[in-house]
Amino acid sequence: MPYQNLKKADPQMFKLVDAEAKRQQKFITLIASENYASPAVLEALGSPLNNKYSEGYPGKRYYPGNELVDKIEILARERACKLFKAEHANVQALSGGPANLAIYSALLKPGDKLMGAKLAHGGHLSHGHKVNFSGQLYRQIGYELDTDGRLNMKKLAALAKKEKPKLIVAGFSAYSRDIDWAGFRKIADSVKAYLLADISHTAGLVATGQLKSPVKYADVVMFTTHKSFWGPRGAVILCKKYLAEIIDRAVFPGFQGGPHDNAIAAIAVALKEASTAKFKTYAKQVIVNAKTLATELSKLNYKIISNGTDNHLMVVDLTNKNLTGKEAEAKLAAQGILVSRSTIPNDPRGPFNPSGIRLGTYAITTRGFKPTDIKKLAQRIDAILSRNT
Ligand SMILES: Cc1ncc(COP(=O)(O)O)c(C=O)c1O
């Protein structure tokens, strides 16, 4: 039985943790940013590495007793570099949002222009949105998807030429198409901007060759380790050698104190898992499942933004169904299916109750879903959303 020590020490918390573990088993999770950490990753996370302080980097720590922690962090960095064919990896950032802020602080000065996708067009808060520190410290030049729900590289080039940003973020929380990294590089070069590829949502698909890799093109690549991998909450920053020192310094001491060594060990485990044939098969299945879900929902007259998907996710525009994203989210949750409300491009409604929902296949694929299951799932989603109550 798991959690026996917790049960004894804190029965109230045990009940909540145990109930959450059961809830996770019971619900079908289509939240595009969620996945399940592997048992090996959870063991590394719950290991005594949690107890160590190791401010600094391997070989240059501000605390004693870090000989083994150094080996662990070096292993995590080496695995990240090998998997993505990168020149340098930092594995200390606590999560994706803080990682992006650290990257900006390394490359930008307050008030500089940062060109990132608007929230309603698939971007993330940490790409310069006004409610995020990135939007308060830097001036966001927000870009949009075209009317077909895709990036229009010519329009992006024109916007960059007009605004001359110091950094361009190519990366998305709700964009279902593969990305023209060479095109982004060309645009960045045309205005001498840095290019940051935020592949938090797709890193596992990139690592296994299912999607194009930005590593050759971007100055910096950032990804979280808990969405597309079976990994812990955390982030990895990859960069060219010439930026290694300033990126490392921005993370520590610039942004953080002691790294979470248990999470770093768990990241290393997740990266090892990601290099296996089993994970490659999984990544392929994630995309097959997402394509199947998009096709089946289209057949049921659901409008998929950009008419399909290349990756693990899709945004569904519900305006023709007379439902808001929040209503659909609640209806599905009441029947054990979790999706997240989502804005659609040029959404006439606000982000709290937007016009769409976002669905992704990482979690269900980890649980073994195949296209036959997905077809049934699409039918079930439609049956729930079509009910009047
Ligand atoms: C593209 C992108 N970048 C950054 C983040 C932030 O990651 P975290 O939630 O780990 O801070 C997310 C999270 O959803 C994301 O989708």
Side-chain angles (χ1 to χ4, degrees):
M1 281 283 282
Y3 317 126
Q4 288 313 295
N5 291 306
L6 178 61
K7 190 176 181 180
K8 221 163 129 191
D10 188 342
Q12 193 183 4
M13 184 52 74
F14 164 77
K15 263 194 188 162
L16 291 169
V17 172
D18 191 50
E20 170 59 13
K22 289 183 177 129
R23 186 203 64 74
Q24 288 188 15
Q25 283 170 10
K26 203 170 108 201
F27 279 76
I28 291 176
T29 290
L30 290 168
I31 295 172
S33 50
E34 290 187 8
N35 206 339
Y36 301 95
S38 71
V41 161
L42 289 179
E43 281 181 10
L45 262 186
S47 72
L49 280 162
N50 180 71
N51 306 337
K52 192 68 198 96
Y53 242 106
S54 54
E55 281 181 356
Y57 286 100
K60 280 181 276 172
R61 303 284 186 184
Y62 291 83
Y63 288 82
N66 279 306
E67 295 74 16
L68 297 169
V69 163
D70 276 6
K71 286 186 181 169
I72 288 165
E73 186 167 343
I74 288 167
L75 194 56
R77 294 198 306 204
E78 284 175 356
R79 286 180 181 170
C81 285
K82 190 166 171 214
L83 193 61
F84 287 90
K85 301 187 177 61
E87 293 178 14
H88 178 74
N90 182 302
V91 293
Q92 290 198 6
L94 301 181
S95 219
N100 276 340
L101 288 173
I103 294 163
Y104 303 148
S105 81
L107 304 179
L108 304 177
K109 290 193 186 62
D112 277 349
K113 286 183 180 175
L114 180 166
M115 186 166 141
K118 291 181 181 174
L119 206 57
H121 291 257
H124 187 260
L125 287 168
S126 65
H127 296 170
H129 192 277
K130 62 178 187 296
V131 302
N132 186 264
F133 199 51
S134 62
Q136 290 155 21
L137 204 56
Y138 309 106
R139 282 183 289 164
Q140 193 207 38
I141 308 301
Y143 60 85
E144 302 188 344
L145 302 179
D146 223 339
T147 45
D148 62 358
R150 289 174 184 255
L151 290 166
N152 179 325
M153 300 308 279
K154 278 200 185 124
K155 285 190 182 165
L156 291 188
L159 182 66
K161 199 168 162 197
K162 179 168 164 252
E163 296 288 353
K164 307 230 167 357
K166 182 104 184 276
L167 180 143
I168 298 174
V169 189
F172 307 90
S173 300
Y175 184 61
S176 60
R177 295 300 177 179
D178 204 358
I179 292 166
D180 176 6
W181 299 113
F184 266 108
R185 179 74 262 167
K186 224 166 127 188
I187 294 170
D189 283 345
S190 74
V191 293
K192 296 194 168 53
Y194 289 111
L195 179 61
L196 164 62
D198 179 348
I199 55 167
S200 286
H201 260 268
T202 52
L205 305 179
V206 169
T208 50
Q210 309 310 304
L211 295 177
K212 286 189 223 111
S213 171
V215 170
K216 207 167 85 185
Y217 301 104
D219 300 286
V220 184
V221 175
M222 192 287 289
F223 61 88
T224 53
T225 48
H226 46 277
K227 306 186 213 294
S228 65
F229 298 104
W230 300 316
R233 306 197 82 84
V236 174
I237 303 172
L238 306 173
C239 66
K240 305 279 184 213
K241 267 245 158 65
Y242 83 100
L243 289 174
E245 205 182 319
I246 61 166
I247 291 289
D248 282 353
R249 250 193 294 128
V251 175
F252 174 86
F255 257 79
Q256 300 176 184
H260 295 185
D261 297 316
N262 55 333
I264 290 174
I267 287 173
V269 174
L271 294 173
K272 182 169 193 289
E273 288 171 349
S275 65
T276 60
K278 181 180 166 194
F279 191 82
K280 191 168 184 171
T281 306
Y282 163 75
K284 281 184 180 161
Q285 192 66 55
V286 163
I287 296 178
V288 169
N289 284 349
K291 283 182 189 294
T292 307
L293 187 57
T295 305
E296 294 302 309
L297 288 174
S298 297
K299 283 188 207 161
L300 295 163
N301 196 28
Y302 287 86
K303 193 167 168 256
I304 311 293
I305 301 296
S306 88
N307 289 320
T309 181
D310 297 328
N311 57 29
H312 64 299
L313 69 77
M314 67 216 65
V315 175
V316 183
D317 174 354
L318 292 169
T319 43
N320 66 333
K321 297 283 180 182
N322 226 0
L323 267 177
T324 68
K326 190 163 169 261
E327 287 164 350
E329 181 188 290
K331 275 183 143 191
L332 291 166
Q335 299 301 319
I337 298 176
L338 298 181
V339 306
S340 47
R341 70 193 82 162
S342 172
T343 46
I344 57 169
N346 302 311
D347 201 325
R349 310 180 61 90
F352 188 69
N353 190 6
S355 302
I357 48 174
R358 187 187 63 164
L359 293 79
T361 55
Y362 282 136
I364 55 171
T365 307
T366 298
R367 291 186 76 158
F369 273 57
K370 295 275 162 30
T372 45
D373 310 303
I374 302 281
K375 284 178 191 170
K376 285 187 211 147
L377 182 60
Q379 299 281 349
R380 188 159 155 68
I381 288 171
D382 182 49
I384 295 166
L385 294 183
S386 304
R387 275 182 216 154
N388 282 331
T389 49

